[in-house]
Amino acid sequence: MDVTTASSPETTEFEYEPYDNESGAGNVCEYGQHGISFLPVIYSLFFVVGLLGNVLVLWVIIFGVKLRSMSDVCLLNLAIADLLLVCSLPFLAHQARDQWAFGDAMCKMVLGAYHIGFYCGIFFIILMSIDRYLAIIIWKLLHTQSSKKQSIRLVLIVVAVYFCCWMPYSLASFFRALELLKVLHSCRISNDIRLALQVTQAIAYSHSCLNPILYVFVGERFRKNLLRLMSRAPCRVCRVMKTLIPSDRG
Protein backbone atom coordinates (compact mmCIF):
# COMPACT_ATOMS: atom_id res chain seq x y z
CA MET A 1 0.00 0.00 0.00
CA ASP A 2 1.45 3.31 -1.08
CA VAL A 3 -0.37 6.61 -0.98
CA THR A 4 1.71 7.92 -3.85
CA THR A 5 0.64 5.21 -6.25
CA ALA A 6 -2.35 3.53 -4.56
CA SER A 7 -1.11 0.21 -5.82
CA SER A 8 -0.48 -3.14 -4.16
CA PRO A 9 -0.71 -3.38 -0.35
CA GLU A 10 2.54 -5.31 -0.17
CA THR A 11 6.07 -3.97 -0.20
CA THR A 12 9.41 -5.70 0.04
CA GLU A 13 12.74 -4.61 1.35
CA PHE A 14 14.02 -4.27 -2.21
CA GLU A 15 12.04 -3.81 -5.41
CA TYR A 16 13.31 -4.75 -8.84
CA GLU A 17 12.07 -3.26 -12.08
CA PRO A 18 13.28 -3.47 -15.70
CA TYR A 19 14.91 -0.18 -16.57
CA ASP A 20 17.08 1.47 -19.17
CA ASN A 21 20.45 2.61 -17.94
CA GLU A 22 22.26 5.70 -19.15
CA SER A 23 23.70 3.84 -22.14
CA GLY A 24 20.26 2.79 -23.32
CA ALA A 25 20.75 -0.94 -22.70
CA GLY A 26 18.18 -2.90 -20.75
CA ASN A 27 18.95 -3.35 -17.06
CA VAL A 28 17.32 -4.23 -13.77
CA CYS A 29 17.00 -1.36 -11.33
CA GLU A 30 17.15 -2.12 -7.62
CA TYR A 31 15.07 0.07 -5.31
CA GLY A 32 15.95 0.04 -1.64
CA GLN A 33 13.58 1.12 1.10
CA HIS A 34 15.33 4.40 1.88
CA GLY A 35 12.78 5.62 4.39
CA ILE A 36 12.76 2.54 6.57
CA SER A 37 15.18 4.19 9.01
CA PHE A 38 13.36 7.49 9.56
CA LEU A 39 9.76 7.37 8.29
CA PRO A 40 8.26 5.21 11.10
CA VAL A 41 9.66 7.52 13.79
CA ILE A 42 8.59 10.71 12.00
CA TYR A 43 5.08 9.41 11.23
CA SER A 44 4.61 8.27 14.83
CA LEU A 45 5.68 11.68 16.13
CA PHE A 46 3.37 13.47 13.70
CA PHE A 47 0.51 11.20 14.76
CA VAL A 48 0.87 12.00 18.47
CA VAL A 49 1.35 15.75 18.00
CA GLY A 50 -1.29 16.05 15.29
CA LEU A 51 -3.89 14.03 17.19
CA LEU A 52 -3.49 16.01 20.42
CA GLY A 53 -3.26 19.35 18.63
CA ASN A 54 -6.30 18.93 16.39
CA VAL A 55 -8.43 17.50 19.19
CA LEU A 56 -7.47 20.63 21.15
CA VAL A 57 -8.60 22.78 18.21
CA LEU A 58 -11.96 20.98 18.10
CA TRP A 59 -12.36 21.51 21.85
CA VAL A 60 -11.71 25.25 21.61
CA ILE A 61 -13.90 25.84 18.55
CA ILE A 62 -16.86 23.79 19.78
CA PHE A 63 -16.89 24.91 23.42
CA GLY A 64 -15.12 28.26 23.23
CA VAL A 65 -15.81 29.94 19.92
CA LYS A 66 -19.15 28.22 19.19
CA LEU A 67 -18.91 28.74 15.42
CA ARG A 68 -19.58 32.46 15.25
CA SER A 69 -18.24 33.03 11.74
CA MET A 70 -17.44 31.29 8.46
CA SER A 71 -13.76 31.24 9.42
CA ASP A 72 -14.61 29.28 12.57
CA VAL A 73 -16.53 26.74 10.49
CA CYS A 74 -13.57 26.44 8.11
CA LEU A 75 -11.11 25.99 10.98
CA LEU A 76 -13.34 23.29 12.47
CA ASN A 77 -13.53 21.37 9.20
CA LEU A 78 -9.83 21.90 8.56
CA ALA A 79 -9.06 20.31 11.93
CA ILE A 80 -11.30 17.34 11.04
CA ALA A 81 -9.53 16.99 7.67
CA ASP A 82 -6.15 17.06 9.45
CA LEU A 83 -7.39 14.38 11.84
CA LEU A 84 -8.25 12.13 8.90
CA LEU A 85 -4.71 12.49 7.61
CA VAL A 86 -3.26 11.98 11.08
CA CYS A 87 -5.24 8.77 11.62
CA SER A 88 -3.62 7.24 8.55
CA LEU A 89 -0.10 7.83 9.87
CA PRO A 90 0.19 4.79 12.20
CA PHE A 91 -0.60 2.51 9.27
CA LEU A 92 1.86 4.34 7.03
CA ALA A 93 4.51 4.08 9.75
CA HIS A 94 4.03 0.31 9.89
CA GLN A 95 4.01 0.01 6.10
CA ALA A 96 7.24 1.99 5.82
CA ARG A 97 8.94 -0.53 8.12
CA ASP A 98 7.37 -3.82 7.11
CA GLN A 99 4.96 -5.42 4.64
CA TRP A 100 1.34 -4.26 4.62
CA ALA A 101 -0.50 -6.74 6.84
CA PHE A 102 -3.95 -5.18 7.23
CA GLY A 103 -5.65 -6.44 4.07
CA ASP A 104 -7.08 -4.79 0.98
CA ALA A 105 -10.14 -3.38 2.76
CA MET A 106 -8.06 -1.49 5.33
CA CYS A 107 -5.73 -0.35 2.54
CA LYS A 108 -8.68 1.27 0.77
CA MET A 109 -9.92 2.83 4.00
CA VAL A 110 -6.52 4.34 4.81
CA LEU A 111 -6.12 5.64 1.26
CA GLY A 112 -9.66 7.03 1.42
CA ALA A 113 -8.97 8.86 4.68
CA TYR A 114 -5.73 10.21 3.25
CA HIS A 115 -7.27 11.58 0.06
CA ILE A 116 -10.42 12.93 1.74
CA GLY A 117 -8.32 14.75 4.33
CA PHE A 118 -5.94 16.05 1.67
CA TYR A 119 -8.55 17.48 -0.71
CA CYS A 120 -10.85 18.72 2.06
CA GLY A 121 -7.90 20.57 3.57
CA ILE A 122 -7.27 22.34 0.26
CA PHE A 123 -10.96 23.17 -0.12
CA PHE A 124 -11.41 24.70 3.33
CA ILE A 125 -8.18 26.70 3.15
CA ILE A 126 -9.35 28.20 -0.16
CA LEU A 127 -12.84 28.82 1.24
CA MET A 128 -11.39 30.50 4.33
CA SER A 129 -9.16 32.70 2.19
CA ILE A 130 -12.06 33.78 -0.03
CA ASP A 131 -14.22 34.52 3.03
CA ARG A 132 -11.55 36.72 4.58
CA TYR A 133 -10.96 38.48 1.26
CA LEU A 134 -14.65 39.29 0.89
CA ALA A 135 -15.05 40.32 4.52
CA ILE A 136 -12.16 42.87 4.65
CA ILE A 137 -11.19 45.72 2.02
CA ILE A 138 -7.55 43.70 1.89
CA TRP A 139 -5.11 46.00 0.18
CA LYS A 140 -6.12 48.96 2.37
CA LEU A 141 -6.02 46.78 5.45
CA LEU A 142 -2.41 45.80 4.82
CA HIS A 143 -1.42 49.48 4.64
CA THR A 144 -3.08 50.62 7.83
CA GLN A 145 -2.02 50.37 11.46
CA SER A 146 -5.42 49.05 12.52
CA SER A 147 -5.67 46.13 14.91
CA LYS A 148 -7.94 44.47 12.35
CA LYS A 149 -4.84 43.15 10.66
CA GLN A 150 -5.01 40.24 13.10
CA SER A 151 -8.16 38.96 11.39
CA ILE A 152 -6.29 38.21 8.17
CA ARG A 153 -2.76 37.51 9.37
CA LEU A 154 -3.69 34.03 10.60
CA VAL A 155 -5.29 33.12 7.26
CA LEU A 156 -2.27 34.31 5.30
CA ILE A 157 0.14 32.36 7.49
CA VAL A 158 -1.98 29.19 7.30
CA VAL A 159 -2.02 29.42 3.50
CA ALA A 160 1.72 30.10 3.35
CA VAL A 161 2.57 27.16 5.63
CA TYR A 162 0.32 24.86 3.61
CA PHE A 163 2.10 25.91 0.42
CA CYS A 164 5.56 25.41 1.94
CA CYS A 165 4.66 21.95 3.27
CA TRP A 166 2.98 20.55 0.17
CA MET A 167 4.86 22.26 -2.65
CA PRO A 168 8.02 20.08 -2.36
CA TYR A 169 5.90 16.92 -2.53
CA SER A 170 3.99 18.25 -5.54
CA LEU A 171 7.28 18.99 -7.28
CA ALA A 172 8.60 15.50 -6.53
CA SER A 173 5.33 14.03 -7.85
CA PHE A 174 5.80 16.02 -11.05
CA PHE A 175 9.19 14.41 -11.61
CA ARG A 176 7.63 11.01 -10.83
CA ALA A 177 5.07 11.71 -13.58
CA LEU A 178 7.90 12.53 -15.99
CA GLU A 179 9.49 9.21 -15.05
CA LEU A 180 6.26 7.32 -15.77
CA LEU A 181 6.05 9.08 -19.13
CA LYS A 182 9.62 7.87 -19.87
CA VAL A 183 10.88 11.47 -20.10
CA LEU A 184 13.34 10.63 -17.33
CA HIS A 185 14.80 7.18 -17.78
CA SER A 186 17.75 6.16 -15.66
CA CYS A 187 18.04 3.97 -12.60
CA ARG A 188 19.90 6.63 -10.60
CA ILE A 189 17.28 9.29 -11.30
CA SER A 190 14.51 6.85 -10.45
CA ASN A 191 16.07 6.11 -7.06
CA ASP A 192 16.51 9.83 -6.40
CA ILE A 193 12.87 10.48 -7.23
CA ARG A 194 11.68 7.74 -4.88
CA LEU A 195 13.79 9.09 -2.05
CA ALA A 196 12.55 12.63 -2.76
CA LEU A 197 8.95 11.42 -2.65
CA GLN A 198 9.48 9.84 0.76
CA VAL A 199 11.21 12.88 2.26
CA THR A 200 8.80 15.45 0.82
CA GLN A 201 5.81 13.36 1.81
CA ALA A 202 7.03 13.41 5.40
CA ILE A 203 7.34 17.20 5.16
CA ALA A 204 3.80 17.38 3.77
CA TYR A 205 2.41 15.32 6.65
CA SER A 206 3.94 17.75 9.13
CA HIS A 207 1.27 20.23 8.06
CA SER A 208 -1.35 18.21 9.92
CA CYS A 209 0.25 19.06 13.26
CA LEU A 210 1.43 22.60 12.44
CA ASN A 211 -1.99 24.26 12.20
CA PRO A 212 -2.82 23.93 15.94
CA ILE A 213 0.57 25.47 16.76
CA LEU A 214 -0.15 28.37 14.41
CA TYR A 215 -3.54 28.98 16.01
CA VAL A 216 -1.96 29.20 19.47
CA PHE A 217 0.93 31.50 18.57
CA VAL A 218 -0.71 33.59 15.81
CA GLY A 219 -4.48 33.55 16.37
CA GLU A 220 -5.18 35.90 19.26
CA ARG A 221 -8.90 35.07 19.51
CA PHE A 222 -8.18 31.35 19.47
CA ARG A 223 -5.53 31.81 22.15
CA LYS A 224 -7.92 33.80 24.36
CA ASN A 225 -10.59 31.11 24.12
CA LEU A 226 -8.03 28.39 24.82
CA LEU A 227 -6.75 30.17 27.93
CA ARG A 228 -10.32 30.75 29.12
CA LEU A 229 -11.26 27.09 28.72
CA MET A 230 -8.08 25.96 30.44
CA SER A 231 -8.81 28.26 33.37
CA ARG A 232 -12.21 26.65 33.78
CA ALA A 233 -10.99 23.09 33.31
CA PRO A 234 -10.73 21.11 36.57
CA CYS A 235 -7.63 19.17 35.55
CA ARG A 236 -4.25 20.34 36.83
CA VAL A 237 -2.55 19.44 33.57
CA CYS A 238 -4.56 22.12 31.76
CA ARG A 239 -3.50 24.73 34.27
CA VAL A 240 0.12 23.75 33.89
CA MET A 241 -0.18 23.92 30.10
CA LYS A 242 -1.67 27.39 30.44
CA THR A 243 1.66 28.70 31.74
CA LEU A 244 3.34 27.53 28.50
CA ILE A 245 0.98 29.46 26.23
CA PRO A 246 2.07 33.05 25.41
CA SER A 247 -0.31 35.68 26.78
CA ASP A 248 -1.54 38.59 24.70
CA ARG A 249 0.37 41.82 24.84
CA GLY A 250 -1.25 44.83 26.22
Side-chain angles (χ1 to χ4, degrees), residues 195-234:
L195 178 59
L197 280 171
Q198 291 178 328
V199 173
T200 56
Q201 192 173 54
I203 296 174
Y205 282 143
S206 69
H207 177 263
S208 299
C209 55
L210 286 180
N211 276 340
I213 299 175
L214 294 177
Y215 302 155
V216 171
F217 287 93
V218 180
E220 292 186 1
R221 189 160 67 95
F222 180 89
R223 184 164 61 248
K224 289 179 180 178
N225 284 288
L226 176 60
L227 291 171
R228 180 167 54 85
L229 288 176
M230 284 186 168
S231 298
R232 297 178 179 178

Side-chain angles (χ1 to χ4, degrees), residues 145-174:
Q145 298 300 323
S146 172
S147 60
K148 292 183 179 180
K149 284 185 179 181
Q150 300 296 331
S151 61
I152 196 172
R153 186 176 66 169
L154 176 60
V155 175
L156 292 178
I157 293 179
V158 168
V159 173
V161 170
Y162 186 91
F163 178 84
C164 292
C165 288
W166 282 99
M167 185 59 186
Y169 177 68
S170 300
L171 187 60
S173 299
F174 172 74

Side-chain angles (χ1 to χ4, degrees), residues 5-105:
T5 58
S7 58
S8 172
E10 295 185 357
T11 59
T12 57
E13 184 177 0
F14 291 98
E15 299 177 21
Y16 300 90
E17 180 178 323
Y19 224 92
D20 293 336
N21 58 22
E22 284 81 353
S23 63
N27 201 352
V28 176
C29 189
E30 180 180 298
Y31 299 105
Q33 294 251 345
H34 305 290
I36 195 171
S37 60
F38 64 90
L39 286 182
V41 176
I42 292 178
Y43 286 168
S44 300
L45 177 63
F46 288 168
F47 169 73
V48 174
V49 176
L51 181 65
L52 294 177
N54 285 288
V55 168
L56 185 66
V57 172
L58 293 179
W59 178 49
V60 173
I61 293 179
I62 293 176
F63 296 101
V65 180
K66 297 182 179 179
L67 304 180
R68 297 175 183 174
S69 66
M70 178 60 71
S71 293
D72 297 332
V73 175
C74 290
L75 290 178
L76 174 65
N77 286 278
L78 186 58
I80 295 175
D82 286 339
L83 278 175
L84 285 176
L85 275 175
V86 163
C87 289
S88 68
L89 293 183
F91 300 96
L92 298 181
H94 179 274
Q95 190 254 344
R97 186 177 183 84
D98 200 354
Q99 292 187 354
W100 180 260
F102 304 103
D104 291 338

